[in-house]
Structure formats: C-alpha cells, structure tokens
Amino acid sequence: MYSKKDNIGTLTALLAGHGIRHVVVCPGSRNAPLVHNFSVCEDLQCHPVTDERCAGFFALGLTLATGEPAAVCVTSGSALLNLAPAVAEATLQHQGIIVISADRPAAWIGQQDGQTMPQQDALRPFTACSVTLPETEDAEGRWYVNRLVNEALMKVRSEARPSVHINVPISEPLFDFSREKLPEERAIRYVPSVCQEAMLTRIVGRLTASGRPMIVLGQLDGMPADFQTSVERLSRQLPVWGESLSLARPIPFDKMLALADEKDDYRPQLVIYAGGTLVSKALKTYLRECGDTEFIELSPGGEPHDTFRHLTEVYDMDVRKLIDRLDRLASQQGAQYFSSDREYLSYWSEQEERAENIIRNKFRPGYSQAMAVRMLEDFRTGEVHYANSNAIRLGNLFSRHKNHCNRGINGIDGCISTAAGYAAASGKPEYCVTGDLSFFYDSNALWQPGPGRLRIMLLNNGGGGIFRSLKGLETSPVALTSVAGRHQTSAEGICKSYHAVYLKATDEESLREGLDRLFEESEDSVKVLEVFTDPEEDLRNMRQLLSMT
Ligand SMILES: Cc1ncc(C[n+]2csc(CCOP(=O)(O)OP(=O)(O)O)c2C)c(N)n1
C-alpha cells in the first residue's frame, strides 16, 4: 500500500516511469511518506544512509557507476542544506543527482515551527531546475504536479547533466498508507540533440505512420527565405497550422474553428509543434481537448512547453530541419506520402476555404475596427507590426502575410518602440496597427530622434476593447472604467509635439482617404492615422463575423 498523498504518488510513479532505479533515503518524519513509497515501489531500489552529507555523495557514486541519475531523499530543514557539497560536485562533474526534499506546507514557513526554512531554491546555484510540488487534488493541480516532476526529470538528463531539486510540501496527517496502486502518469521524454539525423528519421517515421498527422507552428521569426514555400508545399500533404506570426498564409482559426461543426470527428492523432506562443484561444482550446492525441514538441535547447497538456516527447531540435526534410521527401515521394486519411486532410482544407471565403467575400463590416484592419490589409501585402491585444487578433483574421507582435509576454508596452527599432534598421516604411491604450502607453516611441518611417494605424475606441469581449466582466460596475481604462484622449496633440503627420478617420469615407494618405510614398518620418470607432460597433461586427456561416 502507498501513501495517500497525490503529489507523492505522482512523484513515485514518474521516477519509475523515467527509469530512475536508485534512491538514497535519509531518516526523518516529514519525508517518511516519501521513503515509504519509494521502498514499496518495486521499480525503485532504496539505500538507507543516515548522514545527509554522505547520502549526497553516495548518490553521486551510484550515478557514476550506473550512468543513470540517482535520487536522494531527505527530510525538511537543514537536512537539505547538508546535501550542498555533493550537489555542487555532481553538477560540476556533469553527473547530476535528483534531490528530493520533504517540506512543510507554505503556510508554516517562517512561523517558528520546527525544522522549517525556505527550501525552494535553497540549492539554486548548483541545480538547473528547482520545483515545489503543490498539494492539490483537482485536475489542473494534478497536471501541474505531473508537469513539474517531468520538467525536473527531463532536465537531469539534459546534455549538461545538472543536478535538480524536487521539493515536496506534505501536510499532516503524514502516515496514511491506504492507496492501493500508484497513479498512471504521463512521462515526457527528452530527446537530446546528439544525433539529428536519427531524430529526423524517427519523427518522419512517426508522421508517415500516423493516419492523421498535423504540424502546429507558434510564433517564429528569422526563418530562411524558402521556409514559407516549403510549408506551403507541405500543407498540401498534411495540415500545417499557424497564425500570421509564423506563416505567410495564416489560418484564421477563430473563424475556422467556429465553423467546423465536425471538428471532433477530425482530430489529429499526432501533433508536432514548434515555435513560441499562439494567439487564438479557440485553437488552444481545441488542441487541449484532443485528449487522445500525441503531442511532440521540437524545442531548440530542449525546454518543454506543455501548451496543450498532452506532451509526451521533447526533441532538442530546430523546426527548420524538419520542414526542410519533409518538404524534400514530399516532393520526391509524391502526393500521398504523409496523410493516409485523405478525408481528414480535405475536411480541414475545406474548413479553411470556407472561413477564408466568409472573411474575404461575404463579410461586409460596418464602420468599425474590423473594417479598418480589413481595409488596411487590402492595401498591404508585406509584414505589419501588430500591437496587443485586439489588434493582433484582427491581424490574424484579415492578413495574408507574415506579421510581427510582441507575444513573448503580450505586453501593451513597447509595441510601437519595437516597430520603431525595426523601421530604423530596415530604412523602409513600416506599418504598425495598435489599440489606443497600447499607443498612449508607448507614445514616447515617437519622441526618439530616429523612429524611422513608421506608418501607424491607431484604433481608438476609447479604452481596452478586449475587455468588452470577456464574458461576465460586464457585471462589474468598474468594467469600463478601472478595468478597460475608458478615456477620451486623442493622439492629435502628441503627433503635433513629435512632428508626426496626423490623419483622422471617423467614418468609412475618411478611413479610405486616411489610408490613401498613409500609404502615399513620402519621406515623412512618422504618419499616424487615428481611427475613431464606437466600441459597441466593434464588438457587434466581430460577433457578426464569428457567427456567419
Ligand atoms: C504592460 C501591460 N499592462 C497591462 C496589460 C493588460 N492589457 C492587456 S490588453 C489591454 C488593453 C489594451 O487596450 P488597447 O491598446 O486599446 O487595445 P485593444 O484591446 O482595444 O485592442 C491591457 C491593459 C498588458 N498586457 N501589458
């Protein structure tokens, strides 16, 4: 029988799942449930050592002899600190060990309770990963514990072989050993970059064997010139999904997934994903709901991102290599090489076409932000710098080229300054679309001596439009004021101060004229077209687009 504690069960199952065999165990009451579990688990072999200083080095010896990282489990308090010399030695020898420390619940830290000190990060300089497992029983909490343990156990096998620290708060009662079985836990495998050729062969094999493969690309910049053409060719053989932050032919997911009634019948079986963040919530929700799908991430450096909650493997690899290989194979091997399920491929390309048709041909927006961005995109064929947050969502729906946006942290700060830096280097007019709060927040971008030839379309609807689409927020009396930052500011004065050309739109006609002037060839350094809209109209137009069939 095992400990009743969920976090201890998950940790025990994953140690076994990751092929850890040896655990050095030290005496103590707080860590007794851990020691108990490790001793009962048949896949683990326990080695009792009393002095923690010796125990750490004992684990190093086991690691050296077996070539596999060994673990050492200690109780709370100074027991953990006594592992420091061995942990440092193991890390600097590139023979990392796994430190498992029992801890008190966070509420008791610093309250003069016995054997209690801040334990998270206590060995930080000598551990490459330090996690504290929450005591939680809900589904998200269990996923979180699983992910944290996986991250630590992948890190200890990464190329530098550093030590890692797993800190386990355990509240009382400590000694309930009534769980019959360990939980079934997903282990995420880390595949190091030692042999890229073998990795490629393996991934290609997995893709061709899967009836419903898919590639999903998050934000990607700095790809070589032929990347987009390879993706384009490849997407005739299997779905390659991406937004305007990765693809020159972005898929309008918010519209496409709203349309695709049978999407649950056409779930991918295998998803290879790479790149940074995705903007579309609809896309993330859909992929997260694909519970039976296998997810593999390509992550240069091997850092895992469990964006869709079902990650099983992480390859330390650049996606360019895979796209290049797949493109070559696809053109050598002929039209049906990758996707064995033709219905699946045609279903998704039909949904994409339907969405495109609605966005481009059927949708007739009234005067609103949707109209402004669609009109700008009718003029523009090259990249646009979109700000957070509604601006990039509109850009993802209406543009047919690659775009830029600060989606690393999604800040509204610095969107214009980033575009200004880009323009200063490119020497060309750079187009930027921003909401009003983002513009006023970062208006000092125009103050700099050389902001480059920026062409800014400022979507001014008097506050953070994104907050109007958050269901439930409208019931708060401060939703529009304190949350959405309602205001009546115009950019006219700022433009005058910074000698920027100021243009203004208040209806369809002035919008069209303003865009004509924005796109006019001229040497003016900065032009700003301020498009005033009614936020209720903005929302109504977007709702209309998303409900059209
Ligand atoms: C530095 C920073 N502060 C606050 C936020 C939270 N936030 C996200 S979107 C948003 C509103 C942006 O409003 P606006 O620029 O008008 O764009 P819209 O949402 O209307 O597109 C805010 C305040 C943030 N992302 N970054």
Side-chain angles (χ1 to χ4, degrees):
M1 300 289 268
Y2 292 93
S3 163
K4 197 86 189 354
K5 306 282 182 191
D6 276 354
N7 56 359
I8 298 180
T10 299
L11 173 60
T12 312
L14 279 173
L15 285 169
H18 275 262
I20 305 302
R21 293 287 164 261
H22 297 278
V23 188
V24 185
V25 293
C26 302
S29 58
R30 189 65 49 169
N31 67 334
L34 287 157
V35 173
H36 169 86
N37 256 29
F38 300 158
S39 307
V40 175
C41 176
E42 282 177 0
D43 294 327
L44 302 174
Q45 188 182 342
C46 287
H47 306 265
V49 175
T50 299
D51 184 322
E52 283 91 9
R53 290 166 300 180
C54 304
F57 284 104
F58 197 99
L60 173 59
L62 287 165
T63 302
L64 284 165
T66 61
E68 293 292 327
V72 52
C73 174
V74 298
T75 196
S76 64
S78 58
L80 172 62
L81 298 178
N82 281 303
L83 291 176
V87 169
E89 177 61 32
T91 294
L92 297 180
Q93 258 194 61
H94 303 290
Q95 297 291 334
I97 59 175
I98 302 157
V99 173
I100 298 169
S101 56
D103 199 355
R104 314 252 150 175
W108 286 103
I109 310 292
Q111 304 313 308
Q112 302 191 2
D113 198 28
Q115 252 174 269
T116 307
M117 58 163 221
Q119 293 192 184
Q120 162 91 32
D121 290 332
L123 303 176
R124 192 59 187 164
F126 308 110
T127 49
C129 178
S130 171
V131 298
T132 291
L133 309 183
E135 291 190 277
T136 152
E137 287 172 5
D138 63 13
E140 184 157 292
R142 281 200 298 275
W143 165 71
Y144 185 37
V145 171
N146 170 291
R147 177 165 79 63
L148 290 173
V149 177
N150 267 304
E151 281 174 15
L153 297 182
M154 279 191 281
K155 194 59 142 188
V156 77
R157 289 188 197 274
S158 65
E159 269 161 73
R161 298 282 304 261
S163 297
V164 297
H165 177 195
I166 302 172
N167 187 46
V168 193
I170 307 169
S171 51
E172 293 175 15
L174 300 178
F175 311 123
D176 181 349
F177 304 125
S178 56
R179 183 191 281 259
E180 278 182 26
K181 294 198 296 177
L182 288 176
E184 301 242 333
E185 291 290 337
R186 164 191 66 145
I188 308 178
R189 249 167 48 80
Y190 166 74
V191 185
S193 66
V194 275
C195 183
Q196 296 272 323
E197 198 44 45
M199 280 167 129
L200 276 170
T201 311
R202 213 157 91 189
I203 301 175
V204 171
R206 301 279 289 278
L207 276 169
T208 47
S210 167
R212 293 179 176 187
M214 176 181 281
I215 295 177
V216 176
L217 299 174
Q219 182 164 24
L220 282 175
D221 277 298
M223 293 292 113
D226 55 356
F227 181 79
Q228 297 292 348
T229 12
S230 301
V231 166
E232 178 99 36
R233 272 196 298 263
L234 203 55
S235 57
R236 287 177 219 133
Q237 299 226 5
L238 77 167
V240 183
W241 281 11
E243 300 171 314
S244 75
L245 301 182
S246 58
L247 295 188
R249 268 205 67 213
I251 299 175
F253 292 106
D254 288 352
K255 181 65 212 154
M256 182 181 87
L257 291 168
L259 271 181
D261 292 336
E262 292 164 72
K263 55 182 174 288
D264 291 342
D265 298 335
Y266 290 96
R267 287 179 169 164
Q269 287 165 341
L270 170 70
V271 171
I272 309 267
Y273 76 97
T277 53
L278 293 160
V279 179
S280 167
K281 203 165 180 179
L283 172 60
K284 283 184 277 191
T285 305
Y286 174 66
L287 290 173
R288 279 174 193 155
E289 282 168 0
C290 293
D292 297 328
T293 303
E294 220 183 317
F295 286 87
I296 296 177
E297 183 184 12
L298 307 188
S299 172
E303 213 55 52
H305 306 93
D306 197 12
T307 317
F308 310 115
R309 300 178 56 152
H310 303 292
L311 183 63
T312 47
E313 278 181 86
V314 178
Y315 284 69
D316 185 347
M317 181 186 218
D318 192 317
V319 68
R320 277 177 272 201
K321 291 207 166 70
L322 180 70
I323 295 291
D324 192 47
R325 172 65 56 92
L326 291 177
D327 182 30
R328 260 190 296 134
L329 281 170
S331 45
Q332 281 162 12
Q333 309 277 344
Q336 301 227 342
Y337 187 57
F338 287 109
S339 185
S340 47
D341 186 342
R342 305 312 291 170
E343 225 183 277
Y344 159 76
L345 185 59
S346 49
Y347 176 76
W348 283 117
S349 46
E350 269 163 35
Q351 303 314 306
E352 191 185 334
E353 267 169 42
R354 281 177 70 201
E356 287 294 345
N357 184 35
I358 291 171
I359 290 169
R360 259 152 254 297
N361 306 322
K362 284 194 176 171
F363 178 49
R364 303 252 175 274
Y367 177 73
S368 63
Q369 295 190 342
M371 173 187 269
V373 175
R374 201 172 86 164
M375 241 188 227
L376 175 127
E377 287 295 350
D378 286 344
F379 275 84
R380 181 75 184 151
T381 51
E383 298 175 329
V384 174
H385 302 261
Y386 278 95
N388 288 304
S389 163
N390 267 349
I392 182 59
R393 292 174 200 282
L394 290 164
N396 276 343
L397 280 173
F398 295 116
S399 64
R400 298 297 285 160
H401 48 73
K402 170 92 173 60
N403 289 313
H404 299 284
C405 182
N406 285 346
R407 286 309 282 193
I409 315 185
N410 308 0
I412 60 167
D413 45 351
C415 301
I416 321 278
S417 295
T418 309
Y422 197 103
S426 78
K428 290 188 302 193
E430 294 291 338
Y431 287 81
C432 180
V433 177
T434 173
D436 42 272
L437 295 194
S438 315
F439 176 85
F440 293 117
Y441 199 112
D442 194 26
S443 58
N444 274 343
L446 309 187
W447 187 22
Q448 312 315 322
R453 290 163 67 198
L454 276 185
R455 305 288 179 257
I456 299 171
M457 184 159 89
L458 158 55
L459 304 170
N460 190 345
N461 61 2
I466 190 78
F467 300 112
R468 288 183 183 257
S469 51
L470 304 183
K471 237 186 174 158
L473 181 57
E474 74 282 357
T475 58
S476 165
V478 295
L480 297 180
T481 49
S482 305
V483 181
R486 188 163 62 193
H487 65 89
Q488 292 183 326
T489 319
S490 153
E492 189 166 2
I494 290 173
C495 290
K496 202 167 170 194
S497 303
Y498 298 143
H499 309 292
V501 174
Y502 177 74
L503 309 162
K504 173 173 162 181
T506 49
D507 55 21
E508 186 171 348
E509 203 185 325
S510 50
L511 173 61
R512 205 172 288 282
E513 283 166 12
L515 278 168
D516 279 339
R517 292 217 30 219
L518 199 70
F519 278 89
E520 243 168 36
E521 279 289 328
S522 74
E523 286 307 311
D524 296 315
S525 58
V526 179
K527 289 190 206 173
V528 177
L529 168 60
E530 185 165 30
V531 181
F532 289 96
T533 58
D534 171 352
E536 285 303 317
E537 275 303 297
D538 293 336
L539 201 58
R540 206 185 55 72
N541 274 277
M542 283 311 291
R543 288 199 172 133
Q544 189 203 345
L545 170 59
L546 293 180
S547 63
M548 279 175 84
T549 50

